[in-house]
Amino acid sequence: MEKIMIVDDNMANLIMAKKTLEDIYEVIPVSSGISALECLNDMPELPDLVLLDVDMPNINGFQVISEIKNKKKLTNIPIIFLTAQDDDVTELEGYNLGAVDYIKKPYAANLLKKRVDIQIQLILQQRKIAEYTSNLSSSVQEKVKRFVELQYSVVEMFVGMLEKRNAFEGQHAKRIEKDMEVFLSAIARQEKYGLSADDCATISFAAKIHDLGKLCISDKFVESKKGGFEAEALKTHTLLGAETISKITQLASNNSNFMTYALNMCRSHHENWDGSGYPDRSQGERIPLEARVLAIVNTYDNLRYAQGPMTDGRRLTHQEAMMKLKFLKYTMFDANLMEIFLSVEKEIAALNP
C-alpha cells in the first residue's frame, strides 16, 4: 500500500482528505510544516507522495518544499500543493520549487482522489522503468563479464599451445604483455593518442596472441634460422593469425575492441614505418597504432631473447638492443613512439634483466 502524507493546518481539510484517501492508501496526517519536516527526517520509510498546504502559519508550504528539495534523503518525494489562492504567480512559484501538481481549495473529494491516483500511477511506472533498467544493466554487465572471461580463456589457451609447441614462443608472449603495459601507459600520457586505461589493458592482453598464426606453420619453418623459402613460409603467420581472429569474431558475432586490436596486431606487427615490411607493405600511420607499438616491443624482445639472424645467433644485452632499435628508428618504427619507448627504457630493462 502506497503511503501519502497530508500536511494542512486546517483540521477540517485534513480530516476530509484523510477519509477520501484512507481506503486505498496509508495516510499520514500532519498539522504543520514544522511537524512535517520533523516527521520526514525521522521516518525510516518515506511517503510515496506529500500533499502540502501552501498557507500555514510559522512556516508555509513554499518554505517546507524548499527544505525538502535541499535534503538528499527527501529531494525525490513528489509534492502536490494545496492552496486557496487563485493566482498564476503562486501556482508558478510552486512549480518552480519542484511541485508536481497544484490543487486549489476548496476541492471535491473525487477530484483530490483522482489527482493523487494519477501521481501514484506515474510513480509506480517510474519505479518499473527503473527496475527494468537496473535489471537490463545487470544483464548487460553479466554478458560483458562472460565475454571478457571468454577472451581471457581463449588467449591463455593459445598462449599455452604456443608454449607447448615452442617454449620460447610462450615466454615471448608473456614478456610482450608486460613490456606493452609499461610502454602503453607512457603513450596514454600523451593526449594526442587518445588511449584510455582500458584501451591499454586490452591492447597489452591481446598482444599475447600476435604470433597465433605460427600454430598453423610447420615446426621446421618456425624454428628455422635460414632465409629463402623457410623465411617466406614463416612470414605467412601474420595472415594466418589474422584469419583465425577474423573467424573467431564472425562466430562470436562480436566486433569488440579486443578482437580488433588482436586482429590488427596479428596482421601488422611486422609492417615497417617506411613501407618495407609485410604482409601488406603498409606505411606510416596507415599501420594501426597498436601494431606500431607492438613492432617496437616485439623487436626488442627478439633482440634480447631470440638468438636469430638479427643478433648473429646471440642474445643482446639491454643496452645493445636499445642501440639497434635507435638505428632502426626512422625505417622500421614510428619515430615518435620510439622516443616514448626510450623514455621508459629503465622500466623495460627492469622487466628484462
Side-chain angles (χ1 to χ4, degrees):
M1 181 179 289
E2 287 68 41
K3 190 182 297 184
I4 312 291
M5 176 181 281
I6 306 170
V7 186
D8 198 325
D9 66 313
N10 185 306
M11 291 305 297
N13 288 337
L14 197 61
I15 293 169
M16 189 274 279
K18 182 178 183 300
K19 288 185 176 180
T20 300
L21 300 173
E22 65 185 359
D23 289 343
I24 304 174
Y25 304 108
E26 179 183 345
V27 179
I28 306 167
V30 181
S31 60
S32 72
I34 294 173
S35 297
L37 290 173
E38 291 175 350
C39 187
L40 287 170
N41 285 324
D42 295 338
M43 291 175 72
E45 187 176 334
L46 295 173
D48 298 286
L49 181 67
V50 172
L51 305 182
L52 179 60
D53 185 24
V54 172
D55 308 303
M56 294 184 293
N58 299 321
I59 176 170
N60 65 31
F62 291 152
Q63 292 169 305
V64 172
I65 192 173
S66 295
E67 289 288 328
I68 289 173
K69 294 303 178 183
N70 283 325
K71 292 192 175 181
K72 188 175 181 180
K73 174 187 174 184
L74 310 177
T75 189
N76 292 323
I77 302 174
I79 295 172
I80 296 178
F81 268 132
L82 309 172
T83 182
Q85 297 183 39
D86 188 14
D87 64 274
D88 295 340
V89 174
T90 301
E91 187 171 350
L92 182 60
E93 178 69 11
Y95 286 126
N96 287 338
L97 288 171
V100 296
D101 201 357
Y102 211 92
I103 302 177
K104 293 175 182 176
K105 298 180 183 179
Y107 45 76
N110 58 352
L111 174 63
L112 177 68
K113 181 177 177 301
K114 188 64 176 177
R115 300 287 271 272
V116 169
D117 287 346
I118 289 171
Q119 290 302 322
I120 291 297
Q121 288 304 311
L122 287 173
I123 292 166
L124 294 177
Q125 288 175 9
Q126 289 168 356
R127 288 177 183 170
K128 284 183 180 179
I129 292 170
E131 183 180 0
Y132 173 78
T133 303
S134 177
N135 291 339
L136 182 62
S137 177
S138 299
S139 176
V140 170
Q141 288 175 5
E142 182 61 28
K143 287 181 180 178
V144 169
K145 179 184 175 184
R146 286 184 200 157
F147 185 69
V148 170
E149 289 173 348
L150 177 61
Q151 288 176 174
Y152 183 87
S153 299
V154 168
V155 168
E156 293 305 326
M157 177 187 71
F158 282 131
V159 171
M161 291 170 68
L162 284 165
E163 192 163 21
K164 284 181 179 178
R165 185 179 186 189
N166 183 310
F168 170 80
E169 294 297 341
Q171 294 305 309
H172 173 65
K174 294 172 182 177
R175 290 191 300 269
I176 287 290
E177 180 184 22
K178 294 186 179 299
D179 291 347
M180 288 285 281
E181 286 173 353
V182 172
F183 190 12
L184 285 164
S185 292
I187 294 170
R189 292 193 285 272
Q190 307 282 324
E191 291 185 4
K192 71 175 185 176
Y193 291 104
L195 289 178
S196 68
D198 284 344
D199 293 328
C200 294
T202 304
I203 294 170
S204 299
F205 189 57
K208 293 177 75 173
I209 55 173
H210 69 282
D211 279 335
L212 172 63
K214 289 182 179 180
L215 291 171
C216 306
I217 299 175
S218 171
D219 286 348
K220 67 179 181 179
F221 298 140
V222 173
E223 297 173 3
S224 174
K225 303 293 188 291
K226 300 177 182 179
F229 175 74
E230 287 86 350
E232 290 304 311
L234 181 57
K235 286 181 179 181
T236 63
H237 80 279
T238 54
L239 295 173
L240 292 169
E243 183 181 349
T244 301
I245 295 295
S246 181
K247 286 179 179 177
I248 293 172
T249 303
Q250 291 170 14
L251 288 171
S253 299
N254 191 304
N255 296 320
S256 69
N257 287 340
F258 172 85
M259 292 298 186
T260 300
Y261 292 142
L263 190 150
N264 287 342
M265 287 188 285
C266 278
R267 187 178 186 101
S268 303
H269 67 281
H270 283 294
E271 297 288 358
N272 293 337
W273 183 257
D274 64 2
S276 63
Y278 64 88
D280 303 308
R281 299 184 69 84
S282 296
Q283 186 176 7
E285 292 187 359
R286 292 181 181 176
I287 305 168
L289 173 63
E290 56 271 25
R292 283 182 272 143
V293 173
L294 177 58
I296 296 172
V297 173
N298 186 58
T299 304
Y300 171 82
D301 192 81
N302 284 331
L303 292 173
R304 293 295 316 279
Y305 300 100
Q307 298 176 273
M310 286 184 71
T311 62
D312 298 323
R314 68 186 182 90
R315 288 179 53 178
L316 301 186
T317 65
H318 172 76
Q319 289 76 13
E320 289 173 327
M322 293 305 297
M323 286 298 297
K324 205 164 191 73
L325 289 177
K326 290 176 185 177
F327 181 75
L328 299 170
K329 178 177 175 180
Y330 294 101
T331 53
M332 284 183 66
F333 308 128
D334 180 331
N336 292 327
L337 291 179
M338 190 62 218
E339 286 297 325
I340 298 173
F341 189 71
L342 291 171
S343 74
V344 294
E345 71 164 300
K346 289 182 180 179
E347 293 94 319
I348 297 295
L351 291 173
N352 298 276

